[in-house]
Amino acid sequence: MILSIESSCDDSAIAITEIKTKKLLFHKKISQELEHSVYGGVVPELAARLHAEALPKILAECEPYFKDLKAVAVTSTPGLAVTLVEGVTMAKAIAISLDIPLIGVNHLIGHIYSLFIQKESQFPLTVLLVSGGHTQVMEVKSLHEIQTVAKSMDDSFGESFDKVAKMIGLGYPGGPLIEKLAKDGDRLKHNFTVPLHQSPLIAFSYSGLKNAVRLAIQKADGDTSTYKDIAASFEHIATKHLTMKLKKYFKTNPPKTFAIVGGASANLYLRSQIKELLKPHNADLLLSDLKYCSDNAAMIGRVAIDMYENKMFTSPHELSSAPRSSL
Ligand code: KG4
Ligand code: ZN
């Protein structure tokens, strides 16, 4: 079995996964959404302190599995520097005390493997990753061959939902709150400009849309009855930006199997629009279970199985937690 730890942002999670069967035997996540909600975003030092409380609590529940552990895995990059180090330090201590190999997992590859929890992996894939930290398209040939072909030049898709929710005063995380508010709104009420619609670049940008939404909120002058239309129009244009750029990319790189991963891949409007986009290509769409879209340790454990089988280990004095890394 492999014990895996995730602490790259505001979720403390630990999983136990059986190597041979890929079965998830244990998974527990303690989220900090409530604690960060009053600030409208994640406060790194607060997050680190909460990880230091939550991770040992979850680890205590894993004790019955200790004797069967063959390796310990941990998200080592990318993420918040002060929170990554909480998981990495714990993983090193476990590796040293149980004398088992240590596996440092890239969080973005973790999101890709959220598609394969309790399943065989399936490649090649074209993947759209939409999370709080990233918006990128990747061509994934295998665990070792991942090429990023488009990414955001500023804010990420999920982050723009968080910021709009903060402007409206909804709390954090903004994604699910905006999605809920948008349900009864008119998507066509506000004609926000689609970012980079005239640019030939296959890239993403959300800062301009965020500012256009800010102006619409200011114009509403506290009339909260208009917020549902603003939320719906924002969600519509934020999604249209993704589908327009993907459509352009597909002209030269038609997808065979496409996947959406990351916290924001739980968004049902986004899922429906991508489904429509894939129809003319007859491409399959892979999605993670809703409970594994956002950060979790089960996806880290699933990558770790493939890394274990490829003997991709790091010694405890070499593994560092790097806040930034590219794929
Ligand atoms: O993958 P994740 O849990 O953390 C990162 O790796 O960043 O993604 C969290 C992000 C947050 O920005 C959150 O607002 C967004 O995913 N999110 C959503 C939805 N659910 C979560 N965005 C849009 N619609 C949703 N339903
Ligand atoms: Zn994530």
Side-chain angles (χ1 to χ4, degrees):
M1 294 169 196
I2 293 181
L3 182 144
S4 54
I5 305 171
E6 160 63 39
S7 71
S8 67
C9 191
D10 60 340
D11 295 298
S12 318
I14 300 183
I16 305 279
T17 318
E18 196 170 57
I19 297 169
K20 234 184 186 166
T21 59
K22 301 180 173 60
K23 206 166 159 200
L24 183 63
L25 302 173
F26 172 92
H27 182 237
K28 187 157 183 179
K29 166 161 130 172
I30 298 179
S31 297
Q32 310 170 353
E33 288 167 359
L34 219 63
E35 287 87 346
H36 296 289
S37 189
V38 282
Y39 305 103
V42 177
V43 181
E45 280 73 16
L46 173 61
R49 188 161 57 72
L50 294 170
H51 283 304
E53 287 168 15
L55 287 174
K57 266 190 212 156
I58 308 176
L59 188 68
E61 291 184 43
C62 299
E63 224 187 300
Y65 299 102
F66 279 11
K67 61 182 189 324
D68 297 312
L69 293 182
K70 291 278 178 276
V72 54
V74 62
T75 300
S76 57
T77 188
L80 298 172
V82 293
T83 64
L84 283 168
V85 82
E86 295 291 333
V88 167
T89 306
M90 176 177 265
K92 286 182 181 184
I94 295 170
I96 293 168
S97 60
L98 298 182
D99 193 22
I100 53 175
L102 177 64
I103 300 172
V105 176
N106 182 300
H107 183 77
L108 309 187
I109 302 180
H111 276 301
I112 297 171
Y113 270 75
S114 68
L115 298 164
F116 309 131
I117 291 169
Q118 318 219 56
K119 284 185 202 148
E120 285 302 325
S121 54
Q122 175 189 342
F123 301 114
L125 277 181
T126 306
V127 177
L128 171 67
L129 166 68
V130 272
S131 67
H134 294 81
T135 301
Q136 61 191 56
V137 181
M138 293 169 281
E139 290 294 351
V140 186
K141 292 205 175 113
S142 70
L143 170 64
H144 312 280
E145 266 183 290
I146 302 174
Q147 194 195 357
T148 299
V149 293
K151 59 183 178 181
S152 178
M153 305 190 300
D154 42 59
D155 291 352
S156 75
F157 182 81
E159 189 181 8
S160 70
F161 278 69
D162 294 334
K163 288 184 175 166
V164 169
K166 188 177 178 181
M167 289 182 228
I168 295 181
L170 290 180
Y172 173 86
L177 299 167
I178 291 285
E179 181 171 21
K180 197 166 162 226
L181 184 64
K183 247 187 192 157
D184 303 319
D186 178 358
R187 299 195 183 286
L188 305 178
K189 182 86 181 188
H190 296 268
N191 195 13
F192 299 127
T193 307
V194 181
L196 304 176
H197 71 288
Q198 281 176 328
S199 163
L201 282 179
I202 299 183
F204 307 106
S205 167
Y206 282 97
S207 63
L209 175 61
K210 178 185 69 189
N211 283 325
V213 174
R214 187 195 309 278
L215 294 177
I217 294 168
Q218 274 169 9
K219 214 169 156 199
D221 200 21
D223 179 2
T224 52
S225 68
T226 63
Y227 288 172
K228 60 181 190 306
D229 294 334
I230 294 176
S233 303
F234 158 71
E235 184 180 53
H236 172 59
I237 298 300
T239 304
K240 194 168 175 185
H241 175 36
L242 288 177
T243 54
M244 277 177 75
K245 289 298 177 191
L246 283 170
K247 194 173 177 184
K248 199 183 270 271
Y249 176 68
F250 289 167
K251 276 189 184 151
T252 46
N253 303 272
K256 286 200 179 74
T257 309
F258 191 80
I260 328 173
V261 300
S265 71
N267 186 288
L268 297 181
Y269 183 64
L270 170 66
R271 287 181 170 208
S272 71
Q273 295 305 103
I274 298 275
K275 259 184 210 153
E276 283 305 308
L277 181 71
L278 292 173
K279 269 186 189 161
H281 296 283
N282 246 333
D284 293 327
L285 176 62
L286 302 188
L287 296 162
S288 317
D289 269 0
L290 282 176
K291 60 179 177 292
Y292 299 127
C293 289
S294 60
D295 292 349
N296 64 82
M299 67 187 194
I300 304 304
R302 183 60 190 85
V303 181
I305 292 177
D306 283 16
M307 292 179 75
Y308 180 86
E309 281 164 355
N310 285 281
K311 295 199 166 40
M312 294 165 74
F313 306 135
T314 313
S315 75
H317 56 271
E318 273 171 2
L319 184 68
S320 70
S321 47
R324 283 179 193 280
S325 74
S326 56
L327 269 181

